[in-house]
Amino acid sequence: MMFPAAVLHGVQVGAVDRAFRRWNHPRVRAGGRQRTAAGVIGFSSVEPVDRDTLTAEDADRAGFASLDALLNFVDRRSTGSIYRIGLRLEGPDPRVALRETLPDDAAQREIERALDRLDRASRHGAWTEAVLRAIGDQPGTPAADLAAGFGREKMAFKLDVRKLKELGLTESLRPGYRLSPRGGAVVARLGARG
């Protein structure tokens, strides 16, 4: 689910605890979680509701200025059911702390094994070290430009960079990426091993 910054802030401070979406079928499930810029948001409930039962309180608790604003939002789609999704902040994104953690020898070996697995599983050959180095050499370069430098489509390239982000090695910028402190340390040690 996409959340505007104001809604994320509302979840952080406890003012927003629900969201509404019109979908053909639920796209999240109760008990599920999603990482956001505000941290990890948990979905405590997902239930269909009738449009006529929505209230000003629902609008307020979903971060809308009025019931009319909420209704206009759910009416942007003309088909599907309206779902009320219970929201709660579960904590910070664990990747944030991971990015700041410099790897010891054991962690470095595990990261290198993970990078090797990504390279072996790739249909376009080994890519991890080259992409890490490109991000390190060109922080803030738009993803489309980085992808073009590798002769790749932007969206497929971004999916690969997301895998590096899961390891705590990169951070997203607007635009582009940069190496995290962890990523910088890993790249420096990759160079030393070569």
Side-chain angles (χ1 to χ4, degrees):
M1 289 176 57
M2 298 294 290
F3 296 103
V7 169
L8 290 176
H9 176 72
V11 173
Q12 280 182 309
V13 299
V16 172
D17 65 357
R18 61 185 61 170
F20 293 88
R21 298 292 187 272
R22 188 184 294 265
W23 292 324
N24 291 331
H25 56 84
R27 295 186 186 167
V28 298
R29 62 177 174 74
R33 301 165 50 155
Q34 179 177 327
R35 287 183 294 229
T36 71
V40 177
I41 292 182
F43 306 117
S44 57
S45 60
V46 180
E47 55 193 11
V49 295
D50 291 326
R51 184 184 187 281
D52 295 339
T53 65
L54 298 177
T55 65
E57 180 185 1
D58 285 324
D60 184 54
R61 291 176 64 179
F64 289 92
S66 67
L67 177 57
D68 285 339
L70 170 59
L71 295 175
N72 287 336
F73 176 77
V74 296
D75 288 343
R76 293 184 313 171
R77 292 193 64 201
S78 59
T79 61
S81 300
I82 298 171
Y83 292 89
R84 177 188 297 127
I85 302 107
L87 307 175
R88 68 177 176 276
L89 184 64
E90 294 196 348
D93 183 339
R95 294 174 303 178
V96 173
L98 183 61
R99 296 191 298 236
E100 301 299 322
T101 306
L102 301 182
D104 59 16
D105 290 341
Q108 178 76 22
R109 285 191 299 275
E110 182 54 39
I111 292 166
E112 288 177 14
R113 284 192 291 272
L115 296 176
D116 288 343
R117 282 191 300 273
L118 290 172
D119 286 340
R120 284 193 312 274
S122 171
R123 293 183 178 173
H124 53 273
W127 60 272
T128 58
E129 186 172 348
V131 169
L132 285 167
R133 290 191 186 286
I135 290 170
D137 293 342
Q138 304 169 66
T141 300
D145 295 345
L146 286 170
F150 288 95
R152 306 223 18 238
E153 295 292 323
K154 179 177 96 168
M155 294 313 293
F157 179 82
K158 289 178 76 162
L159 287 173
D160 278 348
V161 174
R162 230 176 258 153
K163 295 169 187 172
L164 300 174
K165 189 175 186 180
E166 288 297 316
L167 297 171
L169 305 179
T170 64
E171 300 177 51
S172 295
L173 302 173
R174 291 183 189 259
Y177 312 98
R178 70 176 167 214
L179 292 179
S180 67
R182 182 181 189 83
V186 166
V187 169
R189 290 177 75 173
L190 288 174
R193 98 180 156 167

